[in-house]
Amino acid sequence: DQMAEVSVDNFIILCSKAEGRDKMARFFQYGSRAISGLASLAEPKAATALGRLEVQARELTTNLGAVRRTHRWCKEFPLIEALPKSILIKDPIERFLDVVSKGSLVVFNVLDHIGHLKQLKILPGGKKPGANTIQLGLKFYFLSSLTGALLMVREYIKLRASEEEQPDQLRACFLTFVRHISLLIQIGHLSAIIPSHESLCGLCGVLSSGIDLSRQWPAAKPRPSLTSGGPAVTQNGTARPGRAA
């Protein structure tokens, strides 16, 4: 679907959805991570403006991450509900990839909850053991993104091989693939599977968050089609004078 125009009304609609607010927070979370990472490359002194910016951006990243973690509870239930449908997929390779993608995302969410409870000292542990559990969960998130990217490659090949032109589906498939690759880079860094740099992790997070935000933005309303053959008809069934349908 085409995105609706950028307006205050559509922004309010975006903010009225929990997922829209979450993706917006994620956009700024990784934006601040990119800023702190880029600032750290200059190795600024603490007393300088750049040094203060690096510290403030890092704190904003941490706080936004903690806030988003509280809103991640119960996100695994729709995934669990969808797993039986994944098992019924006929293609064995696609079935395997889809089950692994959704299943590993469920494990990530559960481990993230456990790590969060450890950090809050509701479960035995503390900040460091909680962070280790969260990082373990991110390894499953990495696996989910990897299998998701492979699924998009298969889907893209199928669409290209199809006799029908499907530009909208191809574009959506390509964007989803780019999102998964961005997630692989950022989650690879956060999970310590493929360490890179805070700036690269942040920039990839901004890219994937931007794609997610575009999908939460209201869709453009289809224009009413005009048909010939008689007068336009109003909602109550009467003809509207002065205009052809």
Side-chain angles (χ1 to χ4, degrees), residues 124-236:
K127 286 192 175 181
K128 179 110 179 173
N132 290 337
T133 303
I134 290 169
Q135 191 176 64
L136 175 62
L138 286 168
K139 288 177 169 60
F140 285 92
Y141 196 177
F142 181 89
L143 177 60
S144 176
S145 299
L146 177 60
T147 50
L150 292 174
L151 275 169
M152 287 303 101
V153 170
R154 284 179 60 83
E155 182 65 22
Y156 190 84
I157 293 172
K158 285 181 182 179
L159 289 170
R160 293 288 293 181
S162 174
E163 295 181 359
E164 298 179 12
E165 291 188 5
Q166 304 177 73
D168 291 340
Q169 288 89 335
L170 281 169
R171 178 177 175 275
C173 185
F174 177 74
L175 278 177
T176 304
F177 174 75
V178 170
R179 176 183 178 274
H180 282 304
I181 294 300
S182 299
L183 284 170
L184 284 173
I185 295 171
Q186 69 191 70
I187 302 303
H189 175 71
L190 295 174
S191 64
I193 293 177
I194 308 175
S196 54
H197 193 270
E198 287 287 286
S199 58
L200 179 60
C201 174
L203 291 171
C204 287
V206 168
L207 175 59
S208 60
S209 300
I211 293 172
D212 287 339
L213 267 176
S214 70
R215 291 172 175 175
Q216 292 300 319
W217 192 265
K221 294 180 180 179
R223 294 181 180 179
S225 59
L226 300 179
T227 57
S228 58
V233 178
T234 62
Q235 289 183 351
N236 60 10

Side-chain angles (χ1 to χ4, degrees), residues 9-89:
D9 288 341
N10 287 326
F11 178 74
I12 291 172
I13 293 173
L14 173 72
C15 293
S16 68
K17 299 186 287 186
E19 196 68 15
R21 295 192 299 273
D22 177 69
K23 299 310 178 188
M24 192 182 307
R26 187 176 186 276
F27 182 88
F28 287 105
Q29 175 192 356
Y30 280 95
S32 59
R33 184 182 288 274
I35 291 171
S36 65
L38 290 170
S40 70
L41 293 174
E43 299 181 353
K45 294 181 179 179
T48 63
L50 190 59
R52 289 193 295 271
L53 175 64
E54 180 190 357
V55 172
Q56 290 168 348
R58 194 183 305 117
E59 288 180 354
L60 180 59
T61 300
T62 302
N63 288 320
L64 282 175
V67 169
R68 291 187 60 239
R69 182 159 284 115
T70 63
H71 294 285
R72 201 172 287 147
W73 284 84
C74 300
K75 273 195 169 184
E76 63 272 17
F77 291 120
L79 293 166
I80 294 171
E81 185 184 26
L83 274 173
K85 294 180 181 178
S86 299
I87 296 171
L88 296 176
I89 295 174

Side-chain angles (χ1 to χ4, degrees), residues 106-116 130 133-134 136-137 140:
V106 169
V107 176
F108 157 71
N109 278 284
V110 172
L111 288 174
D112 193 76
H113 302 335
I114 293 171
H116 188 203
T133 303
I134 290 169
L136 175 62
F140 285 92

